[in-house]
Amino acid sequence: MEINFKQGVCMSEVRVTKEQVDQIIASAKIEDVKLGEKTTVVSATLANGFVIVQSSSCVDPENYDHELGKEICLKRIGDKVWELEGYRLQCQKSSIS
């Protein structure tokens, strides 16, 4: 296993990168919808068919901003992709299928 140093921190090559997560999100089919007066729901269908759904709501409908809600949902979807890719990588590293 190769080791490199980034900003004084020892990091192995076995990791999920932001670039990988961004690429997965970029290749996903993204759909967004407004529900009611104050909720945004975003679904991301990944290249392998797996679907991740997130939602964001505000308290007062006057504060509703669809693009902000979508941005929040996409951030959460990215976090979930990162988690799932980390799990997949750990399984590969541990030789668990």
Side-chain angles (χ1 to χ4, degrees):
M1 176 180 345
E2 186 176 326
I3 304 292
N4 67 29
F5 292 88
K6 182 177 180 180
Q7 298 178 356
V9 177
C10 180
M11 298 178 69
S12 80
E13 293 297 319
V14 181
R15 65 177 177 269
V16 176
T17 66
K18 182 177 182 333
E19 292 77 20
Q20 289 171 308
V21 172
D22 289 346
Q23 183 178 7
I24 291 168
I25 298 296
S27 67
K29 178 182 178 191
I30 304 296
E31 298 178 277
D32 59 282
V33 64
K34 178 180 180 181
L35 292 181
E37 297 181 350
K38 56 185 184 175
T39 301
T40 303
V41 177
V42 177
S43 68
T45 303
L46 306 183
N48 65 2
F50 192 80
V51 179
I52 301 172
V53 178
Q54 288 290 331
S55 66
S56 174
S57 295
C58 61
V59 175
D60 187 339
E62 290 184 23
N63 294 330
Y64 180 77
D65 180 329
H66 187 79
E67 289 307 310
L68 178 59
K70 184 176 176 181
E71 182 181 325
I72 291 167
C73 291
L74 287 172
K75 166 76 169 81
R76 292 176 180 166
I77 288 170
D79 291 344
K80 180 56 73 173
V81 167
W82 205 306
E83 178 182 358
L84 292 169
E85 286 296 297
Y87 176 81
R88 182 186 61 78
L89 185 59
Q90 183 66 55
C91 287
Q92 287 176 346
K93 184 179 175 199
S94 302
S95 298
I96 297 173
S97 48

